[in-house]
Amino acid sequence: MDDVIRMTRAQPVHLVVLALIGLVVLVGMYSSDRFATPLNFANVQDQMVALAIVALAQTIVILSGGIDLSYAGALGLLTVVFASIAGEDPASFAAAIAVVLSLGVFIGAVNGGIVTFVGIHPLIVTLGTSTILSGLALLITRQPTGSVPLFFEDLVYGRIGMIPYGTIFTLFLYVLAGFLLWKSRLGLRIYAIGDNEQAASISGVPVKSTKLIVYALSGFLAAVTAIYICGRFGVGDPRAGVGFDLKSITPVIVGGTLLVGGRGGVLGTLLAVIVLALLANVLNFMNVSSFYQWIAEGLIIIAAVSIFVGRKSK
């Protein structure tokens, strides 16, 4: 357990990402007078919450040696279901939360069950699940639909000073995940399976049930993200999750979590989400096309993977 805690605490990669945050902030301050304003930083936080929660889910899955590419379809379906049920009635709103959280857990459990008991690679399983869920969402509606109560929209956009409630909630989730991974028996099992599944099984770790829990937790966090997205935009959108499958991987890799599993943690992911959100904000101020931003994100992924693969080989 001590090895796991030591492995997931502040590491050189975290210092590198912190330095990148400082560099991006300096470039932003140089590029626009509006960048270093409380209002802009609050807007950046609003924009990063959804990615931060999905990236948290992806981190836990990757640490266990898996991967989850179902977010694109899951978020689309979950937002449509939530907005269709919620409406303006508080009772319907509570029912919508219960239904969507349960559906998210179910989707994750199905992914985990197929991966664990059928033995198909998680990339194939979750990619197929994403396609199915996207189709279901588009069967329900091909355009934004439904609504959420005004009080929920106000809550999502609410702030304490210039710190959005969404930021506080996200930090709370990361702290909980940190305790789960660093202080609980489940966390130890996740790292053990990701590091060496066969050795973990021989050591008595319940590999199948742990994997099932990991994917169910991933589905639960996807549902939380979908609820937040609905609160932010006021409707459900079958295309709300487009791009989140791959975007969720970027901060995990940049934050130092190895794709092979068993190495990394949520601190690096959170720092990477911040630097990526700030970078996107700076590029917008510089009027850089979103197409170039995609190119930059791809180069970042390749560079990060190359660095960490080289580090592990040594």
Side-chain angles (χ1 to χ4, degrees):
M1 187 65 174
D2 291 338
D3 292 338
V4 172
I5 295 174
R6 183 174 64 252
M7 180 173 56
T8 53
R9 281 179 177 166
Q11 296 186 19
V13 64
H14 301 151
L15 300 179
V16 172
V17 179
L18 282 171
L20 288 175
I21 291 174
L23 177 61
V24 173
V25 169
L26 289 175
V27 173
M29 293 172 65
Y30 176 79
S31 64
S32 174
D33 294 336
R34 294 178 295 160
F35 175 80
T37 61
L39 180 59
N40 183 56
F41 285 146
N43 290 334
V44 171
Q45 293 174 66
D46 283 332
Q47 294 166 9
M48 66 179 255
V49 167
L51 176 59
I53 300 175
V54 174
L56 175 60
Q58 189 71 270
T59 301
I60 297 172
V61 175
I62 289 177
L63 284 173
S64 72
I67 195 166
D68 193 341
L69 298 181
S70 67
Y71 301 129
L75 290 176
L77 178 62
L78 291 168
T79 59
V80 168
V81 171
F82 182 80
S84 299
I85 298 174
E88 300 296 332
D89 182 16
S92 298
F93 176 73
I97 290 179
V99 169
V100 168
L101 291 179
S102 300
L103 181 57
V105 171
F106 175 74
I107 291 170
V110 169
N111 284 334
I114 297 174
V115 169
T116 301
F117 297 103
V118 181
I120 303 175
H121 194 283
L123 187 149
I124 303 300
V125 172
T126 57
L127 188 60
T129 303
S130 180
T131 304
I132 293 170
L133 297 175
S134 295
L136 289 174
L138 289 170
L139 282 174
I140 296 173
T141 179
R142 296 187 180 183
Q143 58 188 6
T145 187
S147 62
V148 298
L150 290 177
F151 78 83
F152 182 56
E153 291 189 54
D154 292 339
L155 180 64
V156 168
Y157 280 98
R159 297 172 181 174
I160 298 177
M162 284 297 169
I163 302 178
Y165 292 149
T167 299
I168 297 172
F169 178 68
T170 301
L171 291 175
F172 173 71
L173 289 178
Y174 269 80
V175 170
L176 281 181
F179 276 105
L180 170 71
L181 292 170
W182 305 337
K183 298 294 185 179
S184 74
R185 183 174 299 178
L186 176 62
L188 176 60
R189 291 171 176 173
I190 289 172
Y191 275 102
I193 293 170
D195 186 51
N196 190 321
E197 183 175 328
Q198 184 175 3
S201 180
I202 294 173
S203 300
V205 174
V207 174
K208 292 183 177 181
S209 62
T210 301
K211 282 188 173 183
L212 197 61
I213 292 172
V214 165
Y215 281 96
L217 181 58
S218 176
F220 175 82
L221 290 173
V224 172
T225 306
I227 293 171
Y228 174 81
I229 291 174
C230 283
R232 190 153 186 259
F233 297 106
V235 295
D237 188 344
R239 297 177 178 84
V242 172
F244 272 95
D245 43 5
L246 297 181
K247 284 182 179 180
S248 66
I249 300 174
T250 306
V252 180
I253 298 172
V254 173
T257 296
L258 299 184
L259 280 174
V260 293
R263 296 291 187 278
V266 297
L267 176 58
T269 298
L270 179 60
L271 294 175
V273 168
I274 294 171
V275 73
L276 291 171
L278 288 171
L279 179 61
N281 186 249
V282 170
L283 293 176
N284 286 333
F285 275 120
M286 297 173 67
N287 295 318
V288 176
S289 169
S290 61
F291 301 132
Y292 290 109
Q293 294 182 34
W294 295 346
I295 293 172
E297 185 173 332
L299 292 173
I300 289 171
I301 293 176
I302 294 172
V305 171
S306 301
I307 291 171
F308 295 121
V309 166
R311 186 184 69 179
K312 188 176 182 183
S313 65
K314 295 178 181 179

